[in-house]
């Protein structure tokens, strides 16, 4: 497949200096975002793990986005966390279990009034990052995009989706949403982002662990509907108990709809386990169980599922935290 290469994005003139999008984590989501922002002519800088990864990136001569069978390469600036240039806007695209440590590495570089956009799945990592950098505005995000790394620095945009962004402390929309518009990133500002994240977490808890335990595609859960419904009922009662009734609304029919609509897909957790990769269990089922314990809510089915999944992961040599 021929690559078309775009030149490095030119630095903005002083009169119209634009804030650089620093992107921490050049994996599937990081590359998907970096390339779309750069394609729109916006200034982007990648922050990769270390000097060895920076060398590998330079050898690859940029990032490649593959969309609809067409691939395009972008020569985007990159650096390591140790650089001391200030950061005003940071998109964090590491996995949930890496986010806090990765942000700690660049925390001293954040300018006063810096903004962080946290793309992690589940809950718990966002709050940990927010505690680490109380001086910054932390914007949480929930995305339905689908992307995977074909190889290092090359990403396939597999499913066009939408992203909800919000800040549970300040309801005013972020001032840069027009840059997402300009980049063709379908988005919406949400004044109830925690409800959205809880809803997604509940869907995830009802579907993903069971697909791992039964080693099936999402559609395979139609054979286990009693178990799925028991989990959904418990999740709904728990969410209502914790003041997230809106996130629990009609959970059972929504889970049934998702199972049918994605019947042929393997869940992200199933894919992680099948490929021997660490899962984000602690930020999904683990987070729900910890929250239930804190709220003194007797979530017997969730706890039992967490134990079964943890045992299953340990048997395969994968971390259960
Ligand atoms: P990924 O492909 O594994 O990418 C994570 C990246 O973070 C890797 O490139 C990794 O570097 C980098 N990283 C880790 N620690 C770092 C550090 N200390 N400094 C710099 N970089 C560091 O993961 P992903 O699929 O993009 O997922 C990111 C988050 O988005 C997850 O929470 C996921 O659940 C969520 N999400 C993903 C999708 C999707 O379709 N992919 C959809 C919705 C939500 P190395 O390359 O050096 O390992």
């Amino acid at each position: 497949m021929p690559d078309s290469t775009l030149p490095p994005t030119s630095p903005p003139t002083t009169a119209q200096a634009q804030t650089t999008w620093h992107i921490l984590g050049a994996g599937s989501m990081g590359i998907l975002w970096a390339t779309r922002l750069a394609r729109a002519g916006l200034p982007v800088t990648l922050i990769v793990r270390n000097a060895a990864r920076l060398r590998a990136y330079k050898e690859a001569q940029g990032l490649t986005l593959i969309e609809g069978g067409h691939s395009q390469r972008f020569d985007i600036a990159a650096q390591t966390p140790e650089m001391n240039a200030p950061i005003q806007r940071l998109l964090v695209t590491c996995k949930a279990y890496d986010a806090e440590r990765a942000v700690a590495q660049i925390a001293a570089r954040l300018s006063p009034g810096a903004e962080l956009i946290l793309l992690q799945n589940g809950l718990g990592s966002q709050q940990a990052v927010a505690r680490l950098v109380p001086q910054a505005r932390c914007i949480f995000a929930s995305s339905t995009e689908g992307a995977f790394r074909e190889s290092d620095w090359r990403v396939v945009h597999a499913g066009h989706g939408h992203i909800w962004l919000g800040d549970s402390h300040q309801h005013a929309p972020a001032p840069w949403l027009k840059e997402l518009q300009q980049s063709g990133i379908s988005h919406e500002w949400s004044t109830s982002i925690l409800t959205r994240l809880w809803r997604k977490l509940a869907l995830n808890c009802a579907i993903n662990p069971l697909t791992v335990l039964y080693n099936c595609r999402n559609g395979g859960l139609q054979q286990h509907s009693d178990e799925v419904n028991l989990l959904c009922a418990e999740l709904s009662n728990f969410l209502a108990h914790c003041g997230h009734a809106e996130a629990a609304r009609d959970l059972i029919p929504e889970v049934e709809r998702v199972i049918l609509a994605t019947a042929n897909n393997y869940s992200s957790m199933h894919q992680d386990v099948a490929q021997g990769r660490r899962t984000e269990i602690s930020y999904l089922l683990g987070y729900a169980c910890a929250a239930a314990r804190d709220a003194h809510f007797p979530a017997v089915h969730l706890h039992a599922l967490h134990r079964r999944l943890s045992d299953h992961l340990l048997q395969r040599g994968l971390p259960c935290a």
Side-chain angles (χ1 to χ4, degrees):
M1 184 191 311
D3 274 359
S4 54
T5 307
L6 290 191
T9 45
S10 41
T13 61
T14 350
Q16 25 145 278
Q18 278 174 307
T19 303
T20 295
W21 286 84
H22 283 88
I23 300 192
L24 182 60
S28 308
M29 292 305 267
I31 296 174
L32 181 63
W33 276 71
T35 51
R36 290 182 300 179
L37 292 165
R39 186 167 60 188
L42 296 165
V44 178
T45 295
L46 290 177
I47 304 177
V48 300
R49 205 183 268 278
N50 52 34
R53 294 295 283 155
L54 186 58
R55 271 196 305 280
Y57 172 68
K58 288 190 171 153
E59 278 161 22
Q61 300 182 329
L63 298 179
T64 301
L65 176 66
I66 302 158
E67 258 182 334
H70 175 71
S71 79
Q72 201 172 18
R73 191 145 47 92
F74 298 85
D75 183 2
I76 291 171
Q79 56 184 227
T80 58
E82 293 75 34
M83 274 278 295
N84 52 19
I87 298 172
Q88 174 61 37
R89 185 182 302 150
L90 181 73
L91 182 69
V92 182
T93 48
C94 304
K95 293 279 195 186
Y97 47 75
D98 281 329
E100 187 181 2
R101 196 175 22 195
V103 170
Q105 287 180 286
I106 55 82
R109 294 176 53 185
L110 295 174
S111 304
E115 287 173 303
L116 273 67
I117 303 114
L118 306 173
L119 253 71
Q120 286 59 50
N121 207 358
L123 277 164
S125 70
Q126 302 91 334
Q127 291 91 332
V129 168
R131 280 193 298 274
L132 183 72
V133 289
Q135 75 279 22
R137 181 183 193 190
C138 284
I139 290 164
F140 297 0
S142 176
S143 168
T144 58
E145 297 266 37
F148 64 88
R149 267 193 277 188
E150 191 185 71
S151 58
D152 261 2
W153 323 112
R154 284 177 72 88
V155 156
V156 178
H157 193 183
H160 286 262
H162 190 78
I163 186 159
W164 286 267
L165 301 137
D167 174 347
S168 44
H169 298 296
Q170 294 177 41
H171 282 177
W176 36 259
L177 294 180
K178 59 184 178 308
E179 298 192 8
L180 303 189
Q181 183 85 23
Q182 195 180 328
S183 309
I185 298 172
S186 171
H187 66 280
E188 190 177 322
W189 185 257
S190 167
T191 52
S192 51
I193 191 68
L194 279 178
T195 303
R196 283 213 167 267
L197 286 163
W198 265 114
R199 174 71 162 192
K200 192 168 177 213
L201 187 145
L203 284 162
N204 200 295
C205 287
I207 297 174
N208 294 16
L210 288 176
T211 63
V212 172
L213 293 170
Y214 291 118
N215 189 19
C216 65
R217 295 175 199 263
N218 291 354
L221 295 187
Q222 289 166 96
Q223 314 301 317
H224 304 279
S225 54
D226 289 351
E227 205 172 348
V228 172
N229 289 346
L230 269 180
L231 275 172
C232 287
E234 188 172 89
L235 278 161
S236 298
N237 291 338
F238 163 58
L239 287 171
H241 176 84
C242 302
H244 296 293
E246 194 54 34
R249 185 184 294 199
D250 296 331
L251 186 61
I252 291 181
E254 173 77 350
V255 167
E256 282 170 356
R257 190 194 64 73
V258 172
I259 286 174
L260 275 178
T262 61
N264 281 326
N265 299 358
Y266 283 109
S267 72
S268 55
M269 191 179 269
H270 185 286
Q271 290 175 42
D272 283 341
V273 175
Q275 290 169 35
R277 290 192 305 238
R278 182 174 175 180
T279 68
E280 295 182 305
I281 177 178
S282 298
Y283 302 88
L284 299 162
L285 191 52
Y287 185 85
C289 286
R293 264 193 300 274
D294 288 350
H296 305 289
F297 183 87
V300 285
H301 299 296
L302 281 174
H303 288 305
L305 182 65
H306 190 221
R307 276 193 301 275
R308 281 167 67 199
L309 182 62
S310 300
D311 289 347
H312 184 93
L313 296 177
L314 286 175
Q315 277 165 20
R316 277 151 191 79
L318 292 170
C320 61

